[in-house]
Amino acid sequence: IQKLCDRVASSTLLDDRRDAVRALKSLSKKYRLEVGIQAMEHLIHVLQTDRSDSEIIGYALDTLYNVISNDLEEEEQEENSAKQVDDLGSQFTEIFIKQQENVTLLLTLVEEFDFHVRWPGVKLLTSLLKQQGPQVQQIILVSPMGVSRLMDLLADSREVIRNDGVLLLQQLTKSNAAIQKIVAFENAFERLLDIITEEGNSDGGIVVEDCLLLLQNLLKNNNSNQNFFKEGSYIQRMKPWFEVGDDNCGWSAQKVTNLHLMLQLVRVLVSPTNPPGATSSCQKAMFHCGLLQQLCTILMATGVPADILTETINTVSEVIRGCQTNQDYFASVNAPSNPPRPAIVVLLMSMVNERQPFVLRCAVLYCFQCFLYKNQKGQGEIVSTLLPSTIDATGNSVSAGQLLCGGLFSTDSLSNWCAAVALAHALQENATLKEQLLRVQLATSIGNPPVSLLQQCTNILSQGSKVQTRVGLLMLLCTWLSNCSIAVTHFLHNPANVPFLTGQIAENLGEEEQLVQGLCALLLGISIYYNDNSLENYRKEKLKQLIEKRIGRENFIEKLGFISKHELYSRAAQKPQPSFSSPDHMMFDHEFTKLVKELEGVISKAIYKSSEEDKKEEEVKKTLEQHDNIVTHYKKVIREQDQELEELKQRINTLTSQNEQLQATVTQQVSQIQQHKDQYNLLKVQLGKDSQHHNSHSDTFQMNGIQTEEVSKLKEELEEWKNKHELLQGQLREKDSVIEKLNSSQLEMGTTEQSSQTSKSGGLEHNSEIQKELEMLRSQIQLQSTEISKLQMENQKLQVMNATADPVLGDSGATAVTSSELEARLEQEIKELKSEVKALSEEKESLKQHLDSSSSTVAILQDEKSKLQREVAESKKEQDDLLVLLADQDQKISALKIKLKDLGVPVEDEDDIESGDQGDEDEDGDEEEQD
């Protein structure tokens, strides 16, 4: 070994050094001490200087692992030398970590991807943590990114390194909350749960077990990580772990181990030792994601191994403990039997069955206790099954109360104790149920009158049964009588009870009986402290005198102190779950230890108090009761005021929202009104421009063959009427275009009159064009007023008179028809204008009504409404003016018709020719004459 060390230290060739380190590795298993002493310094130097060669680094790491690790030698050593082996590994570890740079160097090597470097590095670091955990943890914690670099091992694609990385993190996270938090926030939960899923959940191998152990390290007693686990929705990912099939036979040992660890992990999250808020939130999450339902399925399944069933019962217990929603769900669970029975009844049957395993019976008792913890509804349901009015007379089904009574009075002392403790939990902190339980009557034997449950318990006590049975019954009686004066009165009403208790306390018995003596002293003390002096023979003062004469105060206090000094009392006080190494140690209940702690001091004081002090205390109690009543009254008043305040707040919120909606409606209506105003002003401006345009156009208008001055005046008046109407400008423009067409036709007609008579064919073509135009306007002519109908009749008469007229007269008749067509178009458009004016008036009326309804809800719009009303009035006035103008226009049109008749034909009535049929007949007659 010395030569090899020299070669490692002095050889210049890398191959020589590598061979020497390989040789040291082969010797390190057998000659661990020698290699460790002589070669460790040289091996560390190799790690520092030869990092470029992965092979020599791997050999060096393996050699150091063989020297430091105890795993290999423990297999070969006998038990008597195990301590020496541990010391050897610990000493070498201490030498290695004395220089913190060595651990930092090892962390750097673990980052290498090369398998021959990374894997031995992981194993060496794990071994260091096993030997000197806290010291190595501290070095890694202060090393930059130390924990983060190790977390990368979980993402390695090579399963060997990943699995050993899990083992490394197990050692790293032991009992170090700071490292646990860092690992958790490095996404450890996500990666570990992924590995468990990949490996097959509970059906997976040893890797799943290692991951579950690491998860326990991260979560146990670490409130920060528990909260992070819950907030990250990782509880939901635990549900598939507990999906078991119908065929549950033949479970492998690994599956049992995995499922056991999974159940323990659930219990870590809902442990009674956790902060109540954190436990409650985890319980609710487990219910909502279906995890509790899945656990209850396992609970009621057949073929599940006994230890898994026991742990499942314990897990369900802590998931429902103190959570009303979960407790209600558990009460509704039925076992798959025929007929279905509640799960609680099935479990209680196991608890009072002496053939069931002890640990299973303890688990059922814990489950029943957790179901009743802070669950007054559940307590009431259990007690109600004992009351006479609710007992099933047919006897077809067994109730929880019947099972508890059966267990309470069976020959098995363990069943007696479990039933007594279970019944005590049904009465815990519930004075109403303590009073109701006094009504329970038991039929002891045929022909004898029924006995109360309280009396039967005291009868069994006096019969001198087993210690375990008496302890259970005394705990039940102490719980029952505490804080219930009526129960104390019923207890004292039996004249045999007080002498029995004083006799038990006064005797000098063995060590086993001292516990019973202490409980008897506690029961007698409760009978004094909660005594309302309703029984003359058993008033507080008389009972204290009896203690003084028969027992002695000091002796009584000493016997009372036996309870809290007992070793089993201390064990039971540590945690709620009843865990006993053997049935003989099953003596105290966790909740009862709280009651003892609460009453021991006050009973000691009550024994030494004089009658005057008692009277003062009674007065103080009455004063406190009055004060409590006043406080209760004011609490009620405050509660009512809070409700009224809440209602008022809701009304304010409702009114505020309504106000906001009305404000939005007002704003919308104001904007609409503004838009209407803007449109109104815009139309006024456009009408003004259009009137100017039409005035300038009419100046250039000329009519040949007609008196132009008269026609110009008529058009000016028509344009003035158009300017005052804002919505019909487009239709007026169409009328102008028609007038221009008529002017052009009149111009052509004038030209025809000035020239000599042209060829008849030209006149016929001109007449045919006029005929086509009249055909197009027939549909409008049919809708004319009655006045135009009269004109058509006159035109029919003129047809007969002018049938033989010359072509010139025919042309003049056509001109007259065209002029009469102009008049008809004017009248038609006047009617349309009137209808449009009427529609506008109705629109204004609806707008006015809209404004009226808005002003009723919002006072702000009053001013705007009045303005709008004035504008509507002005608009109506303008419309009235338009109507007057229309009437004037009618008169002027009549005058114009007369003038056009004069200009068109010499016959006075010939201007009335209007119908297209008459015009056609005239043209046909002209064509026949031409032929």
Side-chain angles (χ1 to χ4, degrees):
I1 293 172
Q2 183 61 48
K3 289 180 180 178
L4 291 172
C5 290
D6 291 341
R7 285 177 60 188
V8 171
S10 59
S11 294
T12 55
L13 292 176
L14 179 61
D15 292 341
D16 293 342
R17 293 199 301 276
R18 187 189 304 124
D19 293 339
V21 173
R22 186 191 295 116
L24 286 172
K25 174 190 170 185
S26 61
L27 292 170
S28 60
K29 293 181 182 179
K30 191 172 182 179
Y31 303 102
R32 178 182 173 192
L33 178 62
E34 292 79 3
V35 173
I37 292 173
Q38 299 181 48
M40 182 174 284
E41 185 179 348
H42 300 297
L43 293 171
I44 293 172
H45 183 71
V46 168
L47 295 179
Q48 293 171 342
T49 56
D50 289 330
R51 289 185 56 187
S52 58
D53 185 71
S54 60
E55 196 173 353
I56 192 172
I57 294 293
Y59 292 146
L61 291 171
D62 281 331
T63 308
L64 287 170
Y65 172 72
N66 292 339
V67 168
I68 289 173
S69 173
N70 292 327
D71 298 341
L72 298 172
E73 199 157 334
E74 279 176 353
E75 298 174 2
E76 302 170 2
Q77 294 288 334
E78 296 178 358
E79 292 182 2
N80 55 7
S81 61
K83 187 175 180 182
Q84 180 185 352
V85 171
D86 289 340
D87 291 343
L88 192 60
S90 179
Q91 289 170 8
F92 282 133
T93 302
E94 196 171 342
I95 294 169
F96 185 83
I97 66 172
K98 196 170 185 179
Q99 299 293 328
Q100 293 189 8
E101 297 80 6
N102 295 341
V103 179
T104 308
L105 175 63
L106 194 53
L107 289 173
T108 308
L109 292 173
V110 167
E111 278 190 292
E112 296 286 339
F113 186 74
D114 193 307
F115 181 82
H116 297 291
V117 176
R118 195 171 208 182
W119 188 39
V122 169
K123 291 195 296 181
L124 176 57
L125 195 52
T126 306
S127 185
L128 292 174
L129 284 163
K130 283 181 181 178
Q131 304 295 341
Q132 297 285 344
Q135 293 89 331
V136 180
Q137 283 175 339
Q138 198 58 35
I139 296 171
I140 293 174
L141 193 59
V142 299
S143 175
M145 297 292 291
V147 178
S148 301
R149 285 188 278 188
L150 296 179
M151 282 299 300
D152 292 338
L153 296 171
L154 295 182
D156 200 303
S157 58
R158 296 160 294 195
E159 287 192 9
V160 176
I161 294 178
R162 183 199 68 185
N163 298 344
D164 280 351
V166 173
L167 296 174
L168 169 59
L169 290 171
Q170 273 185 32
Q171 299 297 328
L172 181 65
T173 54
K174 273 186 180 178
S175 307
N176 193 309
I179 292 179
Q180 289 168 3
K181 289 179 184 178
I182 296 172
V183 170
F185 282 96
E186 288 282 348
N187 209 22
F189 294 139
E190 183 78 31
R191 294 183 185 179
L192 291 172
L193 292 172
D194 286 343
I195 293 172
I196 292 172
T197 305
E198 290 169 11
E199 295 291 327
N201 293 329
S202 60
D203 293 320
I206 189 74
V207 180
V208 172
E209 180 183 344
D210 293 336
C211 289
L212 291 169
L213 288 170
L214 177 53
L215 283 170
Q216 278 195 22
N217 281 358
L218 295 174
L219 292 171
K220 198 166 187 177
N221 300 323
N222 192 318
N223 299 328
S224 171
N225 282 2
Q226 288 174 7
N227 187 56
F228 181 65
F229 192 84
K230 179 185 73 70
E231 295 296 335
S233 300
Y234 296 119
I235 289 178
Q236 286 82 332
R237 295 187 60 179
M238 297 169 75
K239 183 188 172 186
W241 295 354
F242 305 104
E243 293 176 354
V244 296
D246 297 330
D247 184 15
N248 294 315
C249 59
W251 284 18
S252 66
Q254 186 62 57
K255 180 170 183 175
V256 172
T257 303
N258 290 346
L259 206 52
H260 204 274
L261 289 171
M262 288 170 176
L263 291 167
Q264 286 182 349
L265 196 62
V266 175
R267 293 184 64 186
V268 164
L269 294 170
V270 292
S271 171
T273 57
N274 292 346
T279 299
S280 176
S281 59
C282 287
Q283 287 172 331
K284 291 175 183 175
M286 288 175 183
F287 174 75
H288 290 304
C289 76
L291 180 57
L292 174 60
Q293 293 86 327
Q294 203 70 48
L295 292 172
C296 289
T297 304
I298 298 177
L299 199 66
M300 295 292 107
T302 55
V304 178
D307 51 347
I308 292 298
L309 182 60
T310 303
E311 190 63 22
T312 304
I313 294 172
N314 287 328
T315 306
V316 170
S317 307
E318 294 184 353
V319 173
I320 67 173
R321 187 177 190 268
C323 180
Q324 188 66 54
T325 307
N326 295 5
Q327 288 167 337
D328 291 344
Y329 170 76
F330 184 69
S332 68
V333 174
N334 286 325
S337 59
N338 190 17
R341 287 177 174 172
I344 296 172
V345 172
V346 176
L347 290 173
L348 287 177
M349 290 171 72
S350 301
M351 185 183 77
V352 297
N353 185 352
E354 55 186 301
R355 288 175 296 178
Q356 293 291 344
F358 172 65
V359 288
L360 179 64
R361 298 173 74 181
C362 290
V364 173
L365 175 62
Y366 184 44
C367 186
F368 192 72
Q369 292 173 349
C370 291
F371 169 67
L372 297 177
Y373 182 70
K374 293 184 178 180
N375 182 12
Q376 292 195 349
K377 179 183 174 184
Q379 289 176 323
E381 290 172 353
I382 297 298
V383 172
S384 68
T385 60
L386 286 165
L387 299 178
S389 58
T390 57
I391 292 177
D392 185 5
T394 61
N396 289 334
S397 62
V398 181
S399 68
Q402 290 170 319
L403 288 170
L404 290 176
C405 281
L408 198 60
F409 307 124
S410 76
T411 55
D412 176 32
S413 62
L414 192 59
S415 296
N416 302 153
W417 190 92
C418 290
V421 170
L423 201 53
H425 275 263
L427 304 175
Q428 201 80 37
E429 297 179 3
N430 199 324
T432 306
L433 294 182
K434 290 177 182 178
E435 295 176 12
Q436 287 188 6
L437 201 63
L438 295 171
R439 296 165 46 204
V440 176
Q441 300 288 320
L442 301 174
T444 54
S445 59
I446 300 174
N448 292 331
V451 182
S452 71
L453 178 62
L454 185 66
Q455 181 62 45
Q456 183 66 13
C457 290
T458 55
N459 291 344
I460 295 175
L461 270 178
S462 61
Q463 290 172 6
S465 52
K466 291 183 180 179
V467 172
Q468 192 174 42
T469 300
R470 283 182 288 160
V471 169
L473 290 171
L474 284 167
M475 285 196 297
L476 171 60
L477 290 172
C478 289
T479 306
W480 194 347
L481 268 58
S482 65
N483 205 21
C484 184
S485 301
I486 297 175
V488 171
T489 303
H490 275 71
F491 179 75
L492 295 176
H493 197 269
N494 185 348
N497 287 340
V498 174
F500 168 73
L501 292 178
T502 53
Q504 286 285 316
I505 299 167
E507 289 183 18
N508 291 318
L509 301 172
E511 189 174 339
E512 286 187 357
E513 294 293 331
Q514 285 183 350
L515 189 54
V516 176
Q517 286 184 314
L519 290 170
C520 288
L522 179 65
L523 184 58
L524 186 57
I526 290 172
S527 301
I528 295 173
Y529 186 71
Y530 291 105
N531 193 341
D532 59 358
N533 294 328
S534 58
L535 294 174
E536 184 62 31
N537 293 334
Y538 295 103
R539 297 173 65 85
K540 285 185 178 182
E541 192 60 36
K542 289 189 177 181
L543 289 174
K544 286 193 281 188
Q545 290 174 1
L546 184 64
I547 290 174
E548 180 66 30
K549 290 178 183 178
R550 295 282 306 273
I551 305 169
R553 292 182 182 177
E554 290 78 10
N555 192 23
F556 179 87
I557 300 300
E558 182 185 356
K559 297 290 176 71
L560 184 63
F562 283 165
I563 303 173
S564 56
K565 292 176 183 176
H566 203 281
E567 179 187 359
L568 297 176
Y569 173 90
S570 302
R571 287 185 190 174
Q574 291 174 1
K575 58 180 181 177
Q577 182 183 357
S579 56
F580 307 100
S581 56
S582 69
D584 296 335
H585 292 161
M586 205 171 195
M587 288 293 175
F588 284 109
D589 171 56
H590 177 74
E591 291 297 325
F592 181 73
T593 61
K594 293 181 181 178
L595 182 68
V596 172
K597 197 178 295 182
E598 177 187 341
L599 293 177
E600 188 176 10
V602 295
I603 290 174
S604 301
K605 291 179 182 177
I607 296 298
Y608 284 103
K609 280 181 183 175
S610 62
S611 57
E612 294 179 358
E613 290 176 338
D614 283 338
K615 289 180 182 178
K616 288 181 181 178
E617 187 177 346
E618 288 293 331
E619 292 176 359
V620 170
K621 279 186 178 179
K622 290 180 180 177
T623 307
L624 288 174
E625 286 178 2
Q626 293 175 356
H627 175 72
D628 289 342
N629 292 335
I630 293 171
V631 170
T632 305
H633 171 69
Y634 279 114
K635 281 182 179 179
K636 184 178 179 182
V637 172
I638 291 170
R639 196 177 297 113
E640 291 174 354
Q641 290 178 347
D642 285 342
Q643 290 177 354
E644 292 177 2
L645 185 62
E646 191 64 30
E647 290 175 0
L648 289 173
K649 284 181 179 178
Q650 291 177 357
R651 287 184 60 190
I652 288 172
N653 292 334
T654 305
L655 291 173
T656 304
S657 61
Q658 290 179 356
N659 186 28
E660 289 175 354
Q661 291 176 359
L662 290 174
Q663 290 286 353
T665 306
V666 169
T667 306
Q668 185 178 359
Q669 290 176 351
V670 169
S671 64
Q672 288 178 355
I673 290 168
Q674 188 61 41
Q675 287 177 3
H676 288 315
K677 288 175 67 178
D678 294 342
Q679 291 175 1
Y680 181 74
N681 294 330
L682 182 61
L683 288 172
K684 286 176 69 176
V685 173
Q686 287 179 351
L687 288 174
K689 291 181 179 179
D690 291 341
S691 64
Q692 292 176 5
H693 171 70
H694 285 294
N695 288 334
S696 62
H697 179 66
S698 62
D699 291 341
T700 60
F701 186 82
Q702 295 179 356
M703 289 178 62
N704 296 328
I706 304 175
Q707 295 181 5
T708 355
E709 292 84 7
E710 293 291 333
V711 176
S712 298
K713 287 180 182 179
L714 178 61
K715 291 177 71 175
E716 286 175 2
E717 289 174 356
L718 288 173
E719 292 299 326
E720 183 178 359
W721 175 76
K722 293 175 191 175
N723 291 337
K724 294 181 180 179
H725 202 288
E726 67 242 24
L727 300 176
L728 304 172
Q729 188 62 40
Q731 296 179 4
L732 292 176
R733 288 177 183 171
E734 292 177 2
K735 186 182 72 174
D736 286 342
S737 64
V738 172
I739 292 173
E740 288 178 3
K741 287 181 181 180
L742 292 176
N743 286 335
S744 62
S745 66
Q746 288 172 357
L747 183 58
E748 292 175 1
M749 181 189 68
T751 307
T752 306
E753 288 178 348
Q754 288 175 4
S755 63
S756 60
Q757 291 184 349
T758 57
S759 63
K760 292 181 180 180
S761 61
L764 289 172
E765 290 175 359
H766 183 67
N767 288 336
S768 65
E769 291 177 358
I770 294 174
Q771 182 181 358
K772 289 179 182 179
E773 185 176 358
L774 291 173
E775 286 289 345
M776 291 170 60
L777 298 173
R778 278 181 184 175
S779 60
Q780 295 183 1
I781 292 170
Q782 292 175 0
L783 300 174
Q784 294 304 313
S785 64
T786 56
E787 181 182 355
I788 295 174
S789 299
K790 291 179 182 180
L791 293 176
Q792 287 176 343
M793 294 172 65
E794 290 177 1
N795 286 331
Q796 290 175 359
K797 294 177 182 180
L798 289 174
Q799 177 188 359
V800 178
M801 294 172 64
N802 296 315
T804 55
D806 57 7
V808 177
L809 289 176
D811 293 339
S812 300
T815 305
V817 171
T818 306
S819 300
S820 64
E821 183 66 19
L822 171 64
E823 295 164 3
R825 291 290 298 276
L826 289 175
E827 287 179 356
Q828 175 66 21
E829 290 186 4
I830 288 167
K831 288 182 179 180
E832 291 176 356
L833 289 174
K834 284 181 180 179
S835 64
E836 291 291 335
V837 168
K838 185 178 179 181
L840 180 62
S841 177
E842 291 175 354
E843 182 181 354
K844 295 297 182 182
E845 282 297 323
S846 65
L847 183 60
K848 180 182 176 183
Q849 291 175 0
H850 194 191
L851 287 171
D852 289 339
S853 62
S854 299
S855 62
S856 65
T857 56
V858 184
I860 303 174
L861 288 178
Q862 289 295 332
D863 295 336
E864 199 67 26
K865 173 186 169 186
S866 59
K867 292 179 183 179
L868 186 60
Q869 285 177 339
R870 289 197 295 271
E871 290 173 0
V872 170
E874 292 172 1
S875 176
K876 284 185 177 181
K877 186 177 179 182
E878 289 179 1
Q879 293 168 10
D880 293 337
D881 293 340
L882 289 175
L883 291 174
V884 172
L885 287 173
L886 288 173
D888 293 340
Q889 188 65 30
D890 288 338
Q891 295 176 359
K892 291 180 180 180
I893 288 172
S894 299
L896 179 60
K897 287 197 303 186
I898 296 169
K899 292 178 181 179
L900 290 174
K901 289 176 184 178
D902 294 337
L903 292 171
V905 290
V907 182
E908 184 178 353
D909 294 328
E910 208 170 84
D911 57 353
D912 294 332
I913 296 172
E914 180 177 325
S915 66
D917 296 336
Q918 183 63 43
D920 294 339
E921 291 173 2
D922 289 345
E923 290 168 2
D924 292 340
D926 292 340
E927 288 173 1
E928 288 174 0
E929 290 177 358
Q930 182 66 34
D931 293 339

